[in-house]
Amino acid sequence: MYLVIKPYNMKKYNGTLIMQSVMLTAVIFFTNSASAQSDKEKSLIDDCNTAKAEFIKTDALLSKLFETAAGYVIFPNVGKGAVGVGGASGNGIVYEHGKMIGKAKMSQVSVGFQVGGQAYRELIFFENKETLDRFKKNKVEFSAQASAVAATAGASANAKYREGVMIYTQQKGGLMYEASVGGQKFKFTAF
């Protein structure tokens, strides 16, 4: 007994085989992309947990702010560099009443006398729901006069909210003559 394959069937078979190969490749690609993205996200979350622990270790009074704030955002790794014109950026996680609700990207451009580079953590508390909602709508931007409290033992005892936000920074490394948060812009993305 012989099997005879007609040319029409062969074309149909080849087309099906090609389509299956394309679909398999697409599934593998998107699975790897999602895995890489989730690994990156998990790493950011781990870095935020470490940063939160370091902030509290430096100033135990911050733990009360973490509990009472309407929300907060932690940028565990902000890189900043300048020679006259400077820039900074970092990614973080946004929390509402202690629960993760999304990611944030911070960017900053500054002009003036500034030289060097540094790595630091940044923590922003939101006093009320209205301020947190403004942040989620990408409507929070720090003016050139904005300043942050350097996270040191007891520093939060006298810190006050200004325009609904309270900002803390913690040096990680580097040396830079200039340390402001003015000009920072944020982009929020919900989970």
Side-chain angles (χ1 to χ4, degrees):
M1 180 178 232
Y2 293 98
L3 178 63
V4 178
I5 299 175
K6 296 180 182 178
Y8 174 75
N9 288 341
M10 186 60 114
K11 285 181 183 178
K12 187 175 181 181
Y13 175 76
N14 283 340
T16 302
L17 184 62
I18 289 170
M19 196 57 138
Q20 288 174 342
S21 297
V22 168
M23 294 299 286
L24 180 62
T25 303
V27 166
I28 291 170
F29 174 77
F30 288 116
T31 301
N32 285 340
S33 293
S35 176
Q37 182 64 28
S38 67
D39 287 348
K40 197 174 184 182
E41 211 168 84
K42 285 177 188 174
S43 178
L44 179 59
I45 291 167
D46 289 344
D47 289 349
C48 285
N49 289 336
T50 300
K52 181 178 178 180
E54 287 296 319
F55 273 112
I56 292 171
K57 180 179 169 186
T58 302
D59 184 354
L61 298 175
L62 284 174
S63 60
K64 183 171 173 70
L65 284 171
F66 279 108
E67 293 170 13
T68 60
Y72 55 91
V73 59
I74 300 173
F75 295 99
N77 300 301
V78 177
K80 187 171 193 173
V83 178
V85 175
S89 68
N91 294 307
I93 300 291
V94 181
Y95 301 80
E96 186 169 5
H97 297 292
K99 294 182 180 152
M100 288 185 286
I101 60 165
K103 297 186 293 186
K105 173 136 183 83
M106 183 275 290
S107 60
Q108 177 184 25
V109 176
S110 55
V111 179
F113 182 72
Q114 50 193 338
V115 176
Q118 66 180 2
Y120 63 96
R121 297 178 178 103
E122 185 168 330
L123 168 61
I124 304 168
F125 288 106
F126 301 103
E127 183 176 24
N128 50 47
K129 182 175 177 7
E130 293 77 23
T131 308
L132 177 59
D133 288 345
R134 275 192 11 246
F135 183 86
K136 292 191 298 189
K137 292 176 184 172
N138 301 317
K139 296 193 184 233
V140 170
E141 185 177 312
F142 297 145
S143 68
Q145 292 76 31
S147 61
V149 176
T152 57
S156 64
N158 296 317
K160 304 264 186 265
Y161 283 100
R162 290 189 186 167
E163 297 181 28
V165 297
M166 192 180 319
I167 313 159
Y168 289 87
T169 60
Q170 188 175 56
Q171 185 80 12
K172 289 178 71 174
L175 181 61
M176 186 162 179
Y177 184 76
E178 190 271 344
S180 72
V181 293
Q184 287 184 348
K185 295 180 181 181
F186 304 94
K187 180 163 178 26
F188 171 78
T189 306
F191 283 139

